[in-house]
Amino acid sequence: MRIDVISLFPEFVAQCAAFGVVGRAAERGLLSLHGWNPRDHAEGNYRRVDERPFGGGPGMVMLIDPLRASLRAARAADPALAKVVYLSPQGAPLTQARVRELAGRDRLILLCGRYEGIDERLIAAEVDEEISIGDYVLSGGELAAAVLVDAVARLQEGVLNDVESATQDSFGDDGLLDCPHYTRPVEHELGEVPAVLMSGNHAEIARWRRRQALGRTWQRRPDLLDEAALSKADRRLLDEYRASLAQAATDVAAENPLDQARTAKP
Ligand code: 9WO
């Protein structure tokens, strides 16, 4: 896959993609990143890329022409058709489903704004998709572009090793949050490892992990969980999780002297 980044700081996005699995993908030729600086396509001694906004107000707006010339150069650098994505808080929220769709393409061009944004006419004429990585304002689109590059790159065929691919369930295909993870030592002053993980019973471990994934999604991100769409087995696991929470609350209450009158066993 080829990704072109149009930005006043193209090296920033490239640096973000230089490490870890994404860096490995680039080394192995699974991903190629190219930066284009609108400053290099700006006219005049001052190489202006921004101007004051019509209608007044604070800040500056990025000029159409340096961005359009950069887009043209990026498009011409490879014959494959490229989708143009503008990263902005006004975009559609980035989801793993959207990441999967973008990751399947041959080419992407990511447009990063600075200042107060870019001239709306360029967005209308050239941008295919406007994407937001969250409801907050950054100082430019570059960090958002780096996020998108990372998410898309790790899905390229051959980037993840078998183990990583196998664990892609965690927000990969089932839309659930991940289960908790533990490693050595078994006993630590911060607590113990859940016994089931030490049992060697792989079916029980898988059930525990699924129960945790379902329970944590229900607790933390109920918006992600469509309980009606869960399998019968998943619904039972979620019920077990809720029951264990209720039990834990009862146990805590039993230890609190103020609650003992009500929870004390006869
Ligand atoms: C500035 C601003 C100030 C007050 C109220 C709303 C505001 N929006 C912006 C704004 O969108 N500034 C942008 C800075 C212009 C385009 C590039 N910048 C940007 C992109 N900031 N944050 C993003 C971004 C991109 C994707 N996902 C989240 C945020």
Side-chain angles (χ1 to χ4, degrees), residues 130-151:
E130 199 165 335
I131 292 182
S132 164
I133 64 160
D135 292 337
Y136 36 77
V137 181
L138 305 168
S139 55
E142 286 79 7
L143 273 169
V147 165
L148 185 53
V149 167
D150 189 283

Side-chain angles (χ1 to χ4, degrees), residues 16-205:
C16 284
F19 308 95
V21 289
V22 180
R24 217 198 310 152
E27 275 168 26
R28 293 170 56 191
L30 300 165
L31 173 79
S32 65
L33 257 186
H34 304 265
W36 303 88
N37 194 332
R39 186 92 50 199
D40 298 334
H41 298 270
E43 303 281 327
N45 280 343
Y46 296 100
R47 304 212 156 261
R48 287 202 76 105
V49 293
D50 61 324
E51 259 304 350
R52 291 153 66 199
F54 283 129
M60 303 295 271
V61 175
M62 291 184 82
L63 293 164
I64 293 176
D65 283 340
L67 289 171
R68 198 147 80 121
S70 305
L71 268 171
R72 193 171 297 142
R75 281 209 169 95
D78 187 294
L81 215 59
K83 176 168 250 198
V84 177
V85 175
Y86 176 47
L87 288 311
S88 100
Q90 285 74 45
L94 184 62
T95 61
Q96 191 62 24
R98 179 63 53 94
V99 168
R100 270 194 292 272
E101 190 268 312
L102 295 173
R105 297 176 172 275
D106 292 335
R107 274 199 84 174
L108 283 180
I109 299 179
L110 306 183
L111 189 54
C112 302
R114 281 268 152 181
Y115 316 116
E116 306 316 299
I118 69 186
D119 191 301
E120 190 67 23
R121 292 167 293 181
L122 183 88
I123 302 176
E126 302 275 14
V127 171
D128 298 307
E129 243 179 277
E130 199 165 335
I131 292 182
S132 164
I133 64 160
D135 292 337
Y136 36 77
V137 181
L138 305 168
S139 55
E142 286 79 7
L143 273 169
V147 165
L148 185 53
V149 167
D150 189 283
V152 158
R154 62 183 288 284
L155 294 189
Q156 296 306 302
E157 204 63 56
V159 170
L160 298 181
N161 61 40
D162 288 347
V163 178
E164 289 163 333
S165 305
T167 54
Q168 250 204 23
D169 267 1
S170 349
F171 227 73
D173 291 322
D174 61 11
L176 296 178
L177 301 184
D178 206 356
C179 64
H181 304 283
Y182 297 87
T183 185
R184 62 189 200 94
V186 177
E187 284 175 48
H188 191 281
E189 64 177 275
L190 295 188
E192 290 166 14
V193 175
V196 59
L197 298 179
M198 316 298 295
S199 68
N201 184 335
H202 295 295
E204 263 312 307
I205 292 171

